[in-house]
Amino acid sequence: MQRRLLSLALRVKSRRGRFLLDTFVTPTLYDQISGSVGTVAEVEKLLLPILHPKSDDPLRVDLSHVQRDIRFRSWIRNLYLNAKYSKTEVMKNAETDLSREQLEIPSFGRLVKIFNLEKWNRHPEHKENELQLALMKALRNDCVTVYDWSLEDVLECIGCCVVGLNEFNVTCEKMKIYDYVTKEYISQLSTYLYKRSREIKKEKVCNCKPALKNQKNAPTLFNTFVRCLQG
């Protein structure tokens, strides 16, 4: 039933129809699906039949239309990433380490160790969207490789940007942190502000470290910086 409802929702093309669906229907439907699947295998079992371009399921939808559905792409991206990374050993250890430190700002080296990022490089040989463009080209040209697509390939093709991500990305997105502030950054910023305040002959010198005691206060960084320069 969930697959049928989702397929029907994804087929609506009119602007008014999409507005009504996204207001009254899809939020509840997305929540129900999110609560019923917990692994990548379960997500694939539910969604691949209607999303895979070579599926013979009568409920299959057109990917070119799905690409324009921003809310669906946002939801399915989060669902997939959480299913893939939220219960791994790396994530469990990271949550334990960060909670033990009460989210105190970690060093760069500490982050690398916690999230096992020593060899991580999301795009070692490609531009940001090169893989997506290659998948879209394969789809347009009806290449045989499309038959072997996984759900991750499908999601990357429609612009979800999931390939190459890991537990660190999921953690940042959950915490709404997109510029992760490290101890080294704070130290260098404090040094810069101190020197700058002396250069412009300000009487008050700002210390950012108390304001950035933990990562939750990171959004105040810009305001702290401004106050320092204003004296």
Side-chain angles (χ1 to χ4, degrees), residues 26-37:
T26 54
T28 301
L29 178 60
Y30 292 166
D31 285 345
Q32 289 177 346
I33 295 176
S34 298
S36 64
V37 296

Side-chain angles (χ1 to χ4, degrees), residues 60-77:
R60 180 174 67 85
V61 295
D62 186 352
L63 283 189
S64 63
H65 177 58
V66 176
Q67 283 178 320
R68 297 189 290 270
D69 193 332
I70 297 176
R71 291 196 178 187
F72 171 77
R73 288 193 291 124
S74 176
W75 167 72
I76 190 59
R77 178 179 185 274

Side-chain angles (χ1 to χ4, degrees), residues 12-24:
V12 175
K13 297 182 179 181
S14 71
R15 183 175 299 179
R16 178 177 175 79
R18 285 247 55 90
F19 172 77
L20 293 174
L21 275 172
D22 290 337
T23 302
F24 301 108

Side-chain angles (χ1 to χ4, degrees), residues 193-204:
L193 290 176
Y194 178 79
K195 291 180 179 179
R196 180 58 179 156
S197 66
R198 291 176 64 87
E199 289 174 1
I200 59 180
K201 297 181 180 180
K202 292 291 183 180
E203 295 180 357
K204 297 180 180 180

